[in-house]
Each structure stands twice: as structure tokens, then as C-alpha cells.
Amino acid sequence: MKEKTKKLVIITGYFTGESYGLLGPQMAATIINDYTDYAAIVVGVTNEDDKKDLKIALNHYFKDRQKVVGFSTLGGRPDLFDFAGELKDEGAITILAGPQAGPDYKGEIDWQTHPHRFKGLSDHFSFALHGPAQQIIPVLASGPDFDVSKLEGVLCKGEQGQIIENPSIPWDDAFLSKVDWQTLHVLKDAVFEPITITTAQVLQQIGCQHAAKERKISIDYPAGLTKKGFQPSFVTICQKGCSFCDVAADKGYMGAVNETAIKEQLLCLPTSPDGRKIPFELINESPLFKLARIFELMDEQSAELSQINLTLRADYFLNGLESLEKVLKIAVKKNVRILLSSIGFESFDDTILKNLNKGLDKQTNLDAVQAIRQLKSRYPAHFGYLKEEGANHGFIHPTPWDNPDISYGINKTISMYQLSLDILPNHSTPLIIHHASGLADWIRQIELKEHIEFQRLGTTIGWWQTKDRSFI
């Protein structure tokens, strides 16, 4: 095959010393390599990577060619936003894609009339692309000037500086089938070095059922405002899914991927030296009812699994418990491990769970813990959920609603049920409010009502501090 003369790099956030795959960016790179005249790689950039070395590596990779650099799954990292802006100023084509690309490019709602709000990234990127990755195909075919203002899924600046936003196309399972897992690189000694991944992903469902239906919810004022003399109150917003979830706001619930695509994804998984497919995360917020089908699809291909990692909610776990037990019996026969890699407990307090719009209560979380422990005792070798087995369950702390009574209750529950032994992660995750999430609407209503301004930190809102006072 003739070597392609055009090149593209997709930059994404990564963690030092890791070797996990990146489904979204690597699937996008696969589409680019298969359907365009560009050769694409993915580069995972850690917090520790020197941007000078990154620029040297890009110069070496592109040589005298036009730099075309995509940015996806950045995790709100300002250093990568700034780096994209530097490349753009130097003449590179920089493309913002991935989750929340549209809102992040446009900026926070009404930032023009509220200067403290996040102004967006339109100055840092040539344009943005929101929606399915195959929309990049006509973009890359648009010629050297990249006249993309009329293409589907594109956000760009018009001649008057206004932002043009074109609707995205529907998801197409035909483009969700193939993933080349050999496209991932990391930065080493100012060059891009390919890495061999040890954990991949298989997309079985797009979005979350909890985000399928919009509902009105009431969220309490931050405890810090009450402590500072503001009257106890609440704010009502319309919300799909968990109030902190920017993915729910971005995708909602798009439904299941067809089995033909899933089967092809399974076939694309790299094979370990022992002949089995490497461990993978099954991307499906409610996977238990369809988990047995994964084994059947593998049997049809005469291929063997090693481990399936599951990420799901506590209530979905309890609802699918009977199905999971049937799958575990299959897993024992085939010597496959089922790992609960992340259960989204988030909290063990009903007030906080209500404000997060989890759609469940503390007792549901505790019932799930009990059921998980019982399963472990029956399937010790083929069922995992422990931290030392690679699990990292969701526990959000601190939150805006923490007060002495809530903290006492959570600590009492943690002690009574010994959650620190096996459930709680080594470090909790502070509540992060993305500017396009439901909680961002909550914050903005409080700001307008109380005439205060909360701090902005890139794409997130610092709920713990207004411009002139700290609440934690």
C-alpha cells in the first residue's frame, strides 16, 4: 500500500505509566486511516509531559507537511487548551472533538453578558466537531483551506466573529465496528513511541438510560452559603441523568449498538500471549442483561476472553443480579473473570444523592454492597470488585452540601459497613461541575438570585469559592 503523504495527530489526556486503550480517539483514528488520505495516530499526553518536547515530536512527525492536530477527551486540562492555541497561532489546523466539544468551543451560556463565565475555546481551535467521528471524512476532503463552515457537525467562526453551529449527523453503527488498537502513542524523549495496550473497550450502548427522560429536580443551596448567612433554599432545574454528568448532557441515551458492530469490535481486540483477548471494559451502563450474549458472540468466532470490566449503577446491578449469576457460571467454565471495575455509588447520604439526581438512595447502595460481597464469597476467582483487583468505585467528596450532620452520617455508615476495606477508593473525587452540566444551571440560578459570582476554572465552575469568599 502506498504511504500516505498527509498526516494527522489526535492529542488526548493520559496518565503516566498506564497502558489502557482510548476507544473514542482510537476509533476516530481508525476511521481517518480507512476512509481518508490522511494517516492518523493518537498521542496520550500526561500532566508531566513537557510541551516543548511535545512540539519537537510534532515537528519531527509532520516534517514540512501541514500540521493537522485533533484534540479529544482532554479532561478539562487548560495546558492542552493553551497548547492547541499555540499551535493554531503558528499555522496548524487544530480541531476540538470528543465529549462536550460543542459547548466547550462556544463557551458557557450567556458569557457575553456575564464576563466571569467561561468564554469558550473558539480562539484556541480552528474549528470544532461535535457528534459521530465519521463527520471528519468530508472535513479532511474539503481541501487545503479547510472550508468547513457548511459541513455537518462543524462549529466555526464566521466572518463577523459569530459562531456557526451545524447540526451533527445521526450515529451509524457501521462506523462503530472497527477499532485499530495499535494507533496509540506516548511521548518519550521528544518522539512519539507506540505502546502496547493491556486494556481496551467495547461499545455496547451509547449513553445511559438514566439520561433518557427529562425531569424537574430541586437541588439544595450549598451549605457554605447557608453558613455565610444566606437563607436556606433550593433551585429547580430540568435534568436528564445525574446532575453532575456532562456525558448525560452531551449524549443522553442513544440506545444499543447492533450486534454486528459489537461482534466486529470483539474481533478487533488484541490477543494476549496466552491466546485470549485482552481485558476490556464493556461500555454499557446496564450491561448485565446482555452480558451472556458477549460470550455467545465470542463462541461464534471461536475466540476466548480473559476479563470483562463493568461500569454501572448500584440499582442496575441489583436489577440484573440474577442475570449476572448465570453469567458467572459461564465464566467459571471458561475461566474468565468478571470485574466490577466501577460502581457509581457517589455517596452514602440521601441528601447528597438527591442533589446529584442519582435516582436511588443510600439503602440501595448498601444493598448492592452486600450483594457484591456475597457474590465474591461464592465466586472468589472469577468475580472481582476490590481495589487490589483494579476496581475504582465512584465516591464524590467533598460536595457543596457537606455539613457536620451529613459528614457524621456518612462517616458512621462507612464505619458500620466497613466500606473503607473494599468499596471506597484510596482517594475520593471532588465534585466537578462542568459548565454544560445540570449543576451548572443550578449555580447560574444561584448567582443571579443572590448577586454573587462563583469562580471559573477553565471548563469547570469552582462551587467552593466566589470571587470574594471561600466556602470550604
Side-chain angles (χ1 to χ4, degrees):
M1 182 181 293
K2 184 179 179 181
E3 183 180 358
K4 295 182 178 181
T5 58
K6 299 178 182 179
K7 292 187 175 183
L8 186 148
V9 170
I10 300 174
I11 289 178
T12 183
Y14 209 65
F15 291 99
T16 302
E18 292 291 344
S19 57
Y20 55 87
L22 295 162
L23 179 67
Q26 291 195 255
M27 186 175 278
T30 304
I31 290 172
I32 291 167
N33 289 327
D34 285 355
Y35 293 94
T36 78
D37 56 357
Y38 282 76
I41 63 170
V42 178
V43 177
V45 178
T46 71
N47 286 314
E48 293 76 22
D49 285 333
D50 190 321
K51 300 305 182 298
K52 293 179 181 178
D53 288 344
L54 179 56
K55 191 167 289 187
I56 291 171
L58 285 170
N59 289 336
H60 177 76
Y61 180 76
F62 282 102
K63 294 185 173 62
D64 58 350
R65 301 178 180 91
Q66 167 71 63
K67 289 187 181 70
V68 183
V69 186
F71 288 77
S72 177
T73 319
L74 303 182
R77 283 177 52 179
D79 63 318
L80 294 181
F81 300 153
D82 292 340
F83 185 72
E86 289 178 21
L87 292 179
K88 177 173 175 284
D89 292 341
E90 293 169 2
I93 303 297
T94 56
I95 308 168
L96 178 62
Q100 293 294 358
D104 286 348
Y105 185 83
K106 292 187 296 182
E108 190 174 349
I109 293 172
D110 294 334
W111 68 264
Q112 296 89 343
T113 53
H114 299 277
H116 72 288
R117 295 182 182 178
F118 171 59
K119 294 176 175 57
L121 300 168
S122 59
D123 290 338
H124 295 68
F125 294 92
S126 305
F127 55 90
L129 197 64
H130 65 136
Q134 66 266 25
Q135 294 174 131
I136 193 67
I137 299 172
V139 167
L140 296 180
S142 61
D145 296 329
F146 283 87
D147 183 12
V148 299
S149 61
K150 296 181 180 178
L151 296 180
E152 292 172 312
V154 166
L155 295 94
C156 62
K157 279 191 172 182
E159 293 182 358
Q160 306 300 320
Q162 80 282 13
I163 291 180
I164 299 169
E165 180 177 4
N166 300 329
S168 62
I169 63 174
W171 292 86
D172 184 346
D173 289 359
F175 290 94
L176 299 174
S177 57
K178 183 181 177 183
V179 187
D180 179 0
W181 291 106
Q182 297 180 5
T183 58
L184 183 60
H185 296 63
V186 292
L187 187 65
K188 185 176 182 180
D189 299 327
V191 297
F192 297 141
E193 182 177 274
I195 65 170
T196 300
I197 67 167
T198 56
T199 306
Q201 297 98 33
V202 169
L203 181 64
Q204 191 180 36
Q205 177 180 287
I206 302 172
C208 173
Q209 289 100 317
H210 185 48
K213 183 179 179 181
E214 186 173 75
R215 54 180 60 84
K216 283 188 176 182
I217 61 171
S218 295
I219 304 177
D220 298 326
Y221 263 36
L225 283 184
T226 304
K227 186 171 65 177
K228 293 289 183 178
F230 291 82
Q231 292 299 314
S233 188
F234 62 87
V235 168
T236 299
I237 65 171
C238 292
Q239 176 64 25
K240 289 184 177 181
C242 298
S243 59
F244 61 90
C245 183
D246 60 316
V247 176
D250 186 46
K251 289 187 177 67
Y253 176 57
M254 307 296 293
V257 175
N258 70 42
E259 282 197 350
T260 300
I262 295 170
K263 190 173 182 179
E264 181 69 17
Q265 288 183 57
L266 291 167
L267 191 62
C268 287
L269 291 170
T271 303
S272 299
D274 64 1
R276 294 172 178 261
K277 295 294 185 180
I278 65 171
F280 66 92
E281 176 191 356
L282 186 63
I283 300 178
N284 183 345
E285 293 287 338
S286 56
L288 301 184
F289 295 105
K290 294 184 177 180
L291 194 53
R293 186 59 181 151
I294 296 295
F295 285 91
E296 294 171 357
L297 292 175
M298 294 302 292
D299 288 342
E300 292 174 8
Q301 302 177 91
S302 299
E304 293 183 289
L305 300 173
S306 57
Q307 178 171 302
I308 304 176
N309 299 341
L310 304 178
T311 299
L312 69 165
R313 295 160 51 90
D315 52 349
Y316 291 177
F317 171 78
L318 291 171
N319 292 340
L321 198 53
E322 184 176 341
S323 297
L324 177 57
E325 291 220 49
K326 293 178 181 177
V327 169
L328 283 170
K329 293 175 182 177
I330 299 172
V332 170
K333 293 179 181 178
K334 294 181 176 292
N335 195 26
V336 176
R337 168 176 276 194
I338 306 297
L339 173 68
L340 296 183
S341 57
S342 182
I343 300 289
F345 295 111
E346 318 309 2
S347 181
F348 290 88
D349 173 81
D350 284 337
T351 296
I352 292 177
L353 290 169
K354 173 191 76 71
N355 289 329
L356 296 178
N357 196 38
K358 283 296 296 183
L360 48 74
D361 57 16
K362 177 182 76 172
Q363 190 58 51
T364 302
N365 280 343
L366 293 174
D367 290 345
V369 170
Q370 182 181 17
I372 289 169
R373 289 169 171 170
Q374 290 175 349
L375 273 184
K376 182 65 174 176
S377 67
R378 294 202 294 271
Y379 302 94
H382 297 89
F383 176 72
Y385 77 98
L386 301 168
K387 289 177 283 189
E388 53 266 34
E389 294 172 317
N392 185 30
H393 303 300
F395 181 60
I396 298 176
H397 178 82
T399 77
W401 309 285
D402 298 331
N403 61 39
D405 289 340
I406 285 177
S407 296
Y408 173 80
I410 292 176
N411 290 332
K412 182 178 179 180
T413 299
I414 289 172
S415 177
M416 285 179 60
Y417 292 90
Q418 297 183 300
L419 300 178
S420 295
L421 295 179
D422 57 349
I423 294 297
L424 297 185
N426 293 326
H427 303 284
S428 61
T429 301
L431 180 66
I432 297 172
I433 299 181
H434 185 272
H435 72 90
S437 69
L439 285 178
D441 291 335
W442 166 75
I443 282 278
R444 285 188 287 266
Q445 286 196 45
I446 293 174
E447 287 183 319
L448 294 175
K449 183 177 179 181
E450 305 296 349
H451 306 290
I452 58 177
E453 295 178 356
F454 283 87
Q455 192 176 37
R456 264 55 175 184
L457 302 166
T459 61
T460 65
I461 300 176
W463 52 263
W464 57 90
Q465 187 169 10
T466 64
K467 284 189 171 182
D468 58 352
R469 59 181 105 192
S470 176
F471 293 131
I472 62 171

